[in-house]
Amino acid sequence: MASGVQANILRLLQDVGKAACRCPAHSQAFRLNQPTTPKHVCSSTEAATQPEYAFEMACSNIRYGKGVTQEVGMDFNNLGAKKVCVMTDKIIASLPIMTAVLESLQRHHVSHDVFQNVRVEPTDVSFKEAIAFAKAGNYDAFLAVGGGSVMDTCKAANLYASNPDADFLDFVNAPVGKGMPVRGEVKPLLAVPTTAGTGSETTGVAIFDYMPLRAKTGIGSRAIRPLLGIVDPLHVMHMPTNVATYSGFDVLCHALESYTAIDYDKRTPRPSNPIERPAYQGSNPISDIWSLQSMRVIKKYFTRSVKDPEDFEARSAMHLASVFAGVGFGNAGVHLCHGMSYPIAGMVKNFQAKDYTTDHPIVPHGLSVVMTAPAVFQFTAPMCPERHLEAAEVLGADITNVRKEDAGKVVADVMREYMYELDIDDGLMALGYTKDDIPDLVKGTLPQKRVTKLAPREQTEGDLAMMFEQSMKVY
């Protein structure tokens, strides 16, 4: 164990040296076995062929506490907001959560309008509806009250209302959109998460189904992350069992994918300008801390939070685990589980998840993500077996005398145990897919390079097909 700790410390020192500040006031950058002269700063042409050499941490401010929602009206007064756009969905709009929000806004005389037509698992069409509402209202601040669908929709509405002349695909990730950097300021956005899952209150990412491709894509920019996440554990007590289950698996995959992502200094291309550095950068020493802590909380509380909906301690802890994982993956990124989940959700046929009241078929995000997890981590483990084994141990596996070559099997088995214990549907076949759908699922994954390129192991179309086939049944 001591040697492992020493190795981690050495790696941290090396990474700090690589990311050392080069401003004149701090020109004596720390190096281990490196020349003391600063590295050459690459031109745009050189950067395209060079690996990254720095990482950048960004996160929303977080306020956590039982009943803290009552402060939201004061927050908008403190910001000097004159007119606030509140976004939610129809289910949340009928719950005590929304009552608490509106009472606070009214008590503090905050002018506001409510948009409650957010679609669970939003699409480009539903995004555009919310954007039109935001543009018409001329708001100077935004408030998202809900799960990831609401927060992501509100981020997009704020972005395009603040950039009214932009085409919708301007900011959408390439290759689906143009992937243009956000250069102008957006309005302040506060987020009140109501699920212990997406961590969207901490990230600059907004995900949606792009209907022409029948696959998910998104917008990724630090500029759109919420100014403040108001994390009130009272709200997650309203989650139905399956919502708690699926959102919890989203947390687990966020943490595990970000911890096993490619090292930040192996990612390419290096940006020629800091504004082009992506939100998802690869694993790094700071994100690692948050991802590991999230997994520690998951081991202790995830099953409890699902099995006993009245267990306030467990559900509160999972709400924090979601925040921890959000900080981790919001900077390190996710990889294959998420990249492969987007066509699984986007190509849904007739599957209707329990506890989700929608007027359309739906594979909830966390369910679509975890479906391929055993196959994915079996595939990625050979590239960084130590990290996979460490994560497996944190999640509860006994790795005594386990060989590095068996790391993939160990992590896959841990994921299957969680899935079986929490009664997850047995593979893609249970969601209505067959092996005949694999070519289309692969085709829907290929545009997701924003995340798939962060996997520690490169993958061919054949590799993707193999993982989808292995995921047809899980147990």
Side-chain angles (χ1 to χ4, degrees):
M1 180 62 71
S3 61
V5 172
Q6 290 170 347
N8 287 336
I9 292 172
L10 179 59
R11 180 175 182 270
L12 177 58
L13 291 174
Q14 290 172 327
D15 288 333
V16 169
K18 293 171 187 173
C21 178
R22 294 179 175 80
C23 68
H26 302 89
S27 59
Q28 299 303 312
F30 175 80
R31 297 286 194 278
L32 281 179
N33 300 320
Q34 295 287 333
T36 57
T37 54
K39 282 186 178 179
H40 169 64
V41 178
C42 294
S43 67
S44 58
T45 302
E46 291 174 309
T49 62
Q50 295 293 318
E52 181 60 277
Y53 70 104
F55 68 91
E56 191 169 323
M57 290 299 296
C59 177
S60 303
N61 296 311
I62 296 295
R63 181 185 300 149
Y64 175 87
K66 181 178 178 181
V68 75
T69 304
Q70 65 185 327
E71 297 180 355
V72 68
M74 288 183 280
D75 288 320
F76 283 113
N77 278 339
N78 293 338
L79 287 170
K82 303 300 182 185
K83 190 178 182 184
V84 177
C85 177
V86 182
M87 292 200 165
T88 191
D89 63 44
K90 292 178 180 178
I91 299 298
I92 298 297
S94 66
L95 296 176
I97 301 166
M98 199 62 184
T99 301
V101 167
L102 296 178
E103 284 180 353
S104 181
L105 295 176
Q106 292 161 3
R107 184 167 61 253
H108 296 284
H109 309 291
V110 177
S111 176
H112 61 277
D113 296 324
V114 178
F115 177 85
Q116 62 180 39
N117 288 338
V118 170
R119 188 183 194 270
V120 178
E121 301 298 329
T123 67
D124 54 323
V125 175
S126 70
F127 264 21
K128 289 174 182 177
E129 181 186 358
I131 290 166
F133 183 91
K135 286 182 176 180
N138 194 28
Y139 301 103
D140 59 3
F142 287 78
L143 175 63
V145 185
S149 296
V150 172
M151 290 184 278
D152 288 5
T153 299
C154 198
K155 291 174 188 176
N158 184 15
L159 172 61
Y160 289 97
S162 301
N163 295 270
D165 296 329
D167 179 76
F168 180 72
L169 289 178
D170 282 353
F171 302 121
V172 174
N173 297 316
V176 175
K178 298 178 183 177
M180 293 171 56
V182 179
R183 296 183 181 275
E185 290 187 1
V186 299
K187 302 296 191 299
L189 188 160
L190 307 189
V192 181
T194 59
T195 62
T198 67
S200 189
E201 68 277 4
T202 71
T203 74
V205 177
I207 302 297
F208 64 96
D209 283 304
Y210 187 57
M211 300 306 289
L213 292 180
R214 296 188 67 206
K216 286 185 183 290
T217 185
I219 302 164
S221 171
R222 295 179 188 84
I224 66 172
R225 72 182 186 275
L227 176 66
L228 173 66
I230 300 174
V231 183
D232 188 335
L234 289 176
H235 301 332
V236 290
M237 300 306 292
H238 296 281
M239 287 193 299
T241 297
N242 279 293
V243 175
T245 302
Y246 299 151
S247 60
F249 274 111
D250 195 22
V251 178
L252 175 48
C253 289
H254 284 157
L256 190 48
E257 286 175 75
S258 60
Y259 192 66
T260 58
I262 190 172
D263 290 346
Y264 78 91
D265 57 358
K266 295 179 182 176
R267 181 181 56 78
T268 56
R270 178 188 303 181
S272 59
N273 186 311
I275 198 172
E276 297 170 356
R277 182 164 285 120
Y280 288 179
Q281 303 163 88
S283 63
N284 61 76
I286 301 179
S287 285
D288 288 351
I289 294 169
W290 294 97
S291 299
L292 284 171
Q293 181 60 20
S294 180
M295 286 188 273
R296 293 186 187 103
V297 176
I298 287 165
K299 177 184 180 296
K300 186 174 182 180
Y301 291 108
F302 185 16
T303 301
R304 278 177 52 183
S305 74
V306 173
K307 298 288 188 180
D308 182 4
E310 302 301 317
D311 189 336
F312 182 75
E313 180 186 15
R315 290 218 162 179
S316 299
M318 284 301 296
H319 211 182
L320 275 177
S322 176
V323 174
F324 299 157
V327 177
F329 91 86
N331 291 280
V334 288
H335 55 81
L336 286 175
C337 294
H338 274 73
M340 297 172 70
S341 79
Y342 296 150
I344 293 171
M347 291 170 52
V348 61
K349 299 177 182 180
N350 299 309
F351 185 79
Q352 183 67 54
K354 297 177 182 177
D355 294 334
Y356 284 76
T357 307
T358 63
D359 58 0
H360 54 274
I362 180 176
V363 179
H365 177 62
L367 177 59
S368 68
V369 167
V370 78
M371 279 289 99
T372 61
V376 162
F377 294 113
Q378 182 98 39
F379 175 78
T380 57
M383 303 309 295
C384 46
E386 296 89 353
R387 283 191 160 241
H388 284 70
L389 286 174
E390 184 178 4
E393 183 177 35
V394 170
L395 290 168
D398 181 0
I399 64 169
T400 306
N401 298 324
V402 172
R403 301 178 305 168
K404 289 182 181 180
E405 305 91 274
D406 296 326
K409 181 180 184 303
V410 172
V411 179
D413 286 346
V414 167
M415 293 303 299
R416 289 191 187 94
E417 289 171 9
Y418 275 92
M419 294 169 75
Y420 183 80
E421 175 69 17
L422 295 173
D423 199 27
I424 287 288
D425 305 81
D426 187 10
L428 294 175
M429 292 182 69
L431 307 187
Y433 290 103
T434 70
K435 291 183 179 180
D436 292 338
D437 294 308
I438 290 177
D440 286 334
L441 291 169
V442 171
K443 183 179 178 181
T445 304
L446 294 177
Q448 313 302 335
K449 296 187 184 301
R450 176 183 66 93
V451 292
T452 58
K453 70 180 182 181
L454 292 170
R457 181 178 179 182
E458 293 184 7
Q459 61 284 165
T460 65
E461 291 185 33
D463 293 329
L464 294 172
M466 174 194 69
M467 286 183 275
F468 277 122
E469 184 171 1
Q470 292 173 346
S471 302
M472 284 293 160
K473 284 187 66 68
V474 176
Y475 311 127

